[in-house]
Amino acid sequence: MQKLRLALVTSAAAMLFSGLAAAQSAPPSQTPVQGTAAAVATPEMSDGEIRKIDKDGKKLTIKHGPLKNLDMPGMTMVFSVKDEAVLDQVQSGEKVRFLAEKVDGKITVTKIEAAR
């Protein structure tokens, strides 16, 4: 029984170390990339329509489709803006594509462009 247990432990260790050795010797093109920009997916922009521009409050009201990166369905809501200069670049009724992200606990428009 002792010999069988030792044989099983030895076999398991051999398989483990051979797998590690194979992973370390794989060419760079075949090794997974983790923690780099290449491995991070860029959030998808959403479609929307500007409903209201609040320059004093630095906010936009946008009727939008699903915000996939925030797991949020389509609706009309008020967003803070990361760069208040965008408030002068959009008009009420304009169709846009935008990216909203949580910034300091607030859902904020971080990128916006005219829809094509």
Side-chain angles (χ1 to χ4, degrees), residues 1 9-10 35-36 41 47-48 51 61 89-90 93 97 101:
M1 186 70 163
V9 169
T10 305
T36 65
D47 294 317
R51 292 299 178 117
T61 302
Q89 299 169 357
V90 295
R97 295 198 31 83
E101 301 175 273

Side-chain angles (χ1 to χ4, degrees), residues 55-97:
K55 290 184 181 183
D56 294 332
K58 301 175 187 172
K59 296 179 181 179
L60 288 173
T61 302
I62 303 175
K63 179 180 179 185
H64 62 82
L67 304 179
K68 292 180 182 177
N69 62 315
L70 297 173
D71 195 27
M72 187 177 291
M75 65 181 84
T76 301
M77 63 184 286
V78 179
F79 295 90
S80 297
V81 292
K82 181 177 180 182
D83 179 6
E84 62 184 275
V86 301
L87 299 171
D88 294 321
Q89 299 169 357
V90 295
Q91 297 177 21
S92 192
E94 182 179 8
K95 304 272 188 205
V96 294
R97 295 198 31 83

